Amino acid sequence: MSIAVHWAKRRVFVTITIVLVVYYFLSASYQPYQISTVIPRTKPEDVWEFVADFSRMKKLNPTILNFRILADHGNFEHWKYTVEYDERLSHWPHTFNTAIGHYSVRKLPESEGGHYSVASTHRTCFLLGLFCLNAKGEFKISRIHQEDTYCEETVRYQCPFFFGRFCRREVEFQRQAIMENLRLQFKQKAFGK
């Protein structure tokens, strides 16, 4: 076998190996995350309307920089909208991304649990849209006890294997900030009465 053929085979082998290693580290699998809280002395409808309005999301999620509504349709029973928003990462504040979120806002019938729901899917892109990840979640809101509201958010987010801990920290930071800011928002309203 000639030296040129040997080096060509070696280059092909090295290239394939590098591609497979990069794919392994950047391939994204879905990871779950769930968080809940109780907001005392509130109506589930009030919390639901607050969470469903994306203009209020900037108060809840400190990483969102700006947004614009791309589409909006439906009625009070089932409202859908699409929003494009820019955010910075909480742990790498000089890193920005752009995301498209599709929201479905509705009160589920008693046969499906009877709770209020804000479900969404998101496509978050980095590096000028060259690298994108998906997430889906649902924010459920229901009455607990006589006058309290129970909020539960379940998120399934895509994350490359190599960035697993970083993604988890980012999701935890955002979801915990949203729940805490939501509790503070309604605590202020309760004391303002």
Side-chain angles (χ1 to χ4, degrees):
M1 182 174 350
S2 75
I3 293 177
V5 171
H6 175 71
W7 281 107
K9 285 183 179 181
R10 188 175 185 135
R11 268 190 237 129
V12 168
F13 176 76
V14 168
T15 302
I16 290 172
T17 302
I18 289 171
V19 167
L20 289 174
V21 168
V22 168
Y23 175 77
Y24 174 75
F25 282 114
L26 294 181
S27 64
S29 61
Y30 279 97
Q31 303 297 320
Y33 184 76
Q34 188 172 40
I35 188 170
S36 62
T37 192
V38 173
I39 303 174
R41 295 177 304 283
T42 58
K43 295 180 184 174
E45 299 87 7
D46 295 341
V47 176
W48 176 58
E49 288 176 8
F50 191 89
V51 171
D53 184 350
F54 200 88
S55 67
R56 294 180 173 154
M57 191 54 71
K58 283 181 75 171
K59 290 181 182 178
L60 299 178
N61 186 345
T63 65
I64 293 177
L65 302 171
N66 55 54
F67 72 95
R68 66 186 181 105
I69 303 294
L70 303 177
D72 181 12
H73 64 281
N75 54 36
F76 187 74
E77 279 99 35
H78 194 182
W79 173 37
K80 293 182 180 183
Y81 65 92
T82 301
V83 63
E84 178 182 55
Y85 57 96
D86 298 316
E87 20 174 39
R88 64 174 171 76
L89 299 180
S90 63
H91 294 90
W92 287 355
H94 301 294
T95 304
F96 301 91
N97 64 69
T98 300
I100 302 283
H102 301 280
Y103 284 81
S104 175
V105 179
R106 64 191 187 118
K107 181 180 187 307
L108 290 131
E110 290 301 322
S111 62
E112 294 179 42
H115 60 270
Y116 295 89
S117 171
V118 179
S120 60
T121 61
H122 303 261
R123 183 156 179 85
T124 304
C125 296
F126 300 86
L127 304 172
L128 301 173
L130 296 175
F131 183 68
C132 298
L133 298 168
N134 298 307
K136 47 188 152 188
E138 183 175 16
F139 205 105
K140 295 178 184 176
I141 303 160
S142 57
R143 182 169 307 287
I144 187 172
H145 308 303
Q146 290 296 321
E147 56 183 46
D148 299 337
T149 297
Y150 177 72
C151 299
E152 177 184 86
E153 185 177 25
T154 304
V155 178
R156 291 187 44 79
Y157 61 95
Q158 245 182 345
C159 184
F161 171 78
F162 189 68
F163 294 106
R165 290 183 61 188
F166 172 76
C167 293
R168 180 73 177 195
R169 282 181 26 188
E170 189 66 30
V171 168
E172 285 175 351
F173 174 83
Q174 288 186 21
R175 291 5 278 169
Q176 289 171 2
I178 288 169
M179 285 296 187
E180 183 59 25
N181 289 333
L182 187 61
R183 283 175 25 82
L184 289 173
Q185 176 70 30
F186 281 91
K187 185 177 181 180
Q188 290 170 355
K189 284 186 176 187
F191 286 125
K193 289 182 180 178

